[in-house]
Amino acid sequence: MTTTEISGVTVATQASVYFDGKCISHGITFADGTKKSVGVVLPASLTFNTGAPEIMECVAGGCEYKLKGTDVWLTSAPGDKFSIPGNSSFDIRVTEAYHYICHFG
Amino acid sequence: MTTTEISGVTVATQASVYFDGKCISHGITFADGTKKSVGVVLPASLTFNTGAPEIMECVAGGCEYKLKGTDVWLTSAPGDKFSIPGNSSFDIRVTEAYHYICHFG
């Protein structure tokens, strides 16, 4: 099941721009204070570092990813999620755009 | 006055990607059905076409723009807005990122 929209939120109007524009996200805040972000990774091979643990949920497009400490590239398609521990990293390869929701904590 | 966030909205999780990723936006819908978008234009010189009339509101960064039928480049900084008629176009030059809210109609 793909999450096409998220209701009842406050959206930050200024985007976060990472990797020279290869990743763009907008922060959203729920009524209970929970923060997530919606974003897109454009075609690129990148390494993302985590502070807090994250769950990446694919909403359109797709990617391949490899968690730190593993040697296996896995695919993520719309509706798929993968989890990254805190203070860790993952490599990501995108050939089309990868549209995602990032859940923290 | 700069609009840093927008509350009580539904956000589309999939971004719109224009000009090979030089412009990325997310659609938002208000409780009354009004649609806007929040987006960013990365450094580039582009021409945007309008269908409906639009009001572009700068929330961070800035741009220079030139409306169709004019010869004057104007600047837009945080808090500034400019209007574009429907079925028209404008040229935009961005040297840093230009973060915006697009109001329709």
Side-chain angles (χ1 to χ4, degrees), chain A residues 25-92:
Chain A
S25 72
H26 279 86
I28 58 176
T29 307
F30 290 72
D32 68 359
T34 302
K35 291 181 182 298
K36 300 180 191 284
S37 66
V38 293
V40 59
V41 180
L42 300 171
S45 292
L46 304 170
T47 300
F48 285 82
N49 297 304
T50 59
E54 295 179 6
I55 296 171
M56 295 290 285
E57 175 180 351
C58 181
V59 296
C63 73
E64 295 177 293
Y65 67 95
K66 184 165 69 72
L67 297 178
K68 183 180 180 180
T70 76
D71 292 323
V72 185
W73 286 93
L74 300 170
T75 61
S76 187
D80 293 343
K81 297 179 184 180
F82 64 96
S83 298
I84 311 100
N87 300 310
S88 186
S89 68
F90 63 101
D91 299 327
I92 187 168

Side-chain angles (χ1 to χ4, degrees), chain B residues 22-46:
Chain B
K22 289 299 183 186
C23 176
I24 304 275
S25 72
H26 279 86
I28 58 176
T29 307
F30 290 73
D32 68 359
T34 302
K35 291 182 183 295
K36 301 180 191 283
S37 66
V38 293
V40 59
V41 180
L42 300 171
S45 293
L46 304 170

Side-chain angles (χ1 to χ4, degrees), chain B residues 1-19:
Chain B
M1 191 65 183
T2 304
T3 307
T4 58
E5 57 182 35
I6 301 174
S7 295
V9 295
T10 296
V11 60
T13 57
Q14 181 172 353
S16 297
V17 179
Y18 304 102
F19 300 107

